[in-house]
Amino acid sequence: MKNDNMKNQYRINEQIRVREVRIVGDGGSTVVPIRQALDMAHDQGVDLVEISPNANPPVCRLIDYSKFLYQQKKRQKEMKAKQVKVEVKEIRFGPQTDEHDYQFKLKHAKEFLEEGNKVRAYVFFRGRSILFKEQGEVLLLRFANDLEDYGKVESMPSLEGKKMFLYLAPKKAGVAKKSQQVRDRERLRVGDDESGMASEAEAKEAARQEAEQVPSNGGLFANAKISADALKKLTESED
């Protein structure tokens, strides 16, 4: 059915009933009478395909019609593949969601936004829990703040019936912009790592120096080394 619709989308050869047409190709374009254009197509063993009927004069190509339809179908397929399909993923909270559940859902929301999907987070108020709507709003605002590196707020928390919604859209592809708070935490972490590495290096150096020193009363290795030194001195004195 799709192929039939595409075939009917273009006029070819004698179906093109105009006085003149513009023929385009690799070598440029030229305006010729329709009769001459049909003769050119016949001589080349191809079809005269009208690709832009609303132009003045209409634009045509000299090409095999089956090949033309194949090219069009391939182009449409490539364009469709490039289109990003955005889905809306839902994250549901209760007005008194515990920290573990919150972190679990926050992790999933980050994944959804990184994949290019939108996130619709909402707090569901059951029965008398509607009295805690301010608590639900605070929860959603915290949620938005924790996701500021991954998504942008499309609409602030709003109550609709028994649900309070928050909509987030993914940020543009690329490295997410880090907040000042995150950058400060990373800087502190790097500083701790560097100081830790320095302390570790100092400890290794101290251990190396200690290993090179032979204790006066220390174990078999110390006694063996002292004995070897004494034997060497004794031999030198005899010489």
Side-chain angles (χ1 to χ4, degrees):
M1 182 65 68
K2 291 183 179 180
N3 291 335
D4 293 339
N5 292 336
M6 186 172 288
K7 286 182 179 179
N8 296 329
Q9 184 176 351
Y10 303 96
R11 295 189 298 181
I12 64 172
N13 301 325
E14 283 76 12
Q15 295 176 355
I16 307 172
R17 298 177 180 178
V18 293
R19 181 176 297 179
E20 58 184 11
V21 295
R22 180 182 297 276
I23 297 179
V24 295
D26 296 335
S29 66
T30 180
V31 177
V32 298
I34 184 62
R35 188 70 266 167
Q36 182 179 345
L38 290 171
D39 291 340
M40 292 170 63
H42 182 268
D43 293 341
Q44 296 181 27
V46 294
D47 298 297
L48 181 67
V49 182
E50 185 183 56
I51 59 175
S52 184
N54 296 326
N56 186 22
V59 180
C60 298
R61 286 185 61 188
L62 296 173
I63 187 174
D64 181 85
Y65 191 45
S66 298
K67 181 179 179 181
F68 174 77
L69 291 177
Y70 172 77
Q71 291 176 349
Q72 293 298 105
K73 184 177 180 181
K74 183 179 179 181
R75 187 176 294 108
Q76 290 179 1
K77 187 176 181 180
E78 291 174 351
M79 291 177 62
K80 185 176 180 181
K82 291 180 180 178
Q83 292 177 348
V84 179
K85 185 178 180 182
V86 179
E87 296 183 6
V88 179
K89 302 290 186 177
E90 283 195 345
I91 300 290
R92 173 177 170 171
F93 292 103
Q96 296 178 332
T97 300
D98 60 46
E99 184 63 21
H100 180 269
D101 191 29
Y102 174 84
Q103 293 297 332
F104 178 78
K105 293 177 179 180
L106 179 67
K107 178 183 176 182
H108 279 286
K110 290 178 180 179
E111 294 174 353
F112 294 151
L113 291 169
E114 286 180 332
E115 292 170 357
N117 298 308
K118 291 186 177 183
V119 170
R120 178 171 61 190
Y122 68 93
V123 179
F124 180 69
F125 301 98
R126 187 188 304 274
R128 295 177 60 86
S129 66
I130 192 67
L131 298 174
F132 301 99
K133 61 180 180 180
E134 289 82 6
Q135 188 172 341
E137 183 178 5
V138 171
L139 175 64
L140 291 177
L141 290 175
R142 176 194 175 189
F143 191 65
N145 184 67
D146 290 342
L147 292 170
E148 64 177 345
D149 292 337
Y150 302 88
K152 54 186 178 181
V153 177
E154 282 194 332
S155 65
M156 297 299 287
S158 60
L159 187 63
E160 300 177 17
K162 294 184 178 181
K163 296 179 181 179
M164 181 175 287
F165 290 94
L166 170 74
Y167 292 87
L168 296 167
K171 287 192 173 181
K172 292 183 179 179
V175 179
K177 184 179 180 181
K178 298 179 181 178
S179 64
Q180 185 63 42
Q181 185 178 5
V182 173
R183 290 197 295 269
D184 291 341
R185 284 201 301 266
E186 290 184 347
R187 206 163 29 240
L188 290 173
R189 187 163 56 249
V190 170
D192 293 341
D193 292 342
E194 289 179 349
S195 61
M197 292 173 64
S199 299
E200 185 179 354
E202 291 174 358
K204 288 183 178 179
E205 178 62 20
R208 184 184 66 81
Q209 293 178 0
E210 183 178 354
E212 290 179 351
Q213 296 176 356
V214 180
S216 58
N217 58 350
L220 295 175
F221 178 77
N223 293 334
K225 186 170 183 179
I226 293 172
S227 299
D229 291 341
L231 180 60
K232 182 178 180 181
K233 290 179 180 179
L234 179 62
T235 304
E236 290 176 348
S237 62
E238 289 178 354
D239 293 340

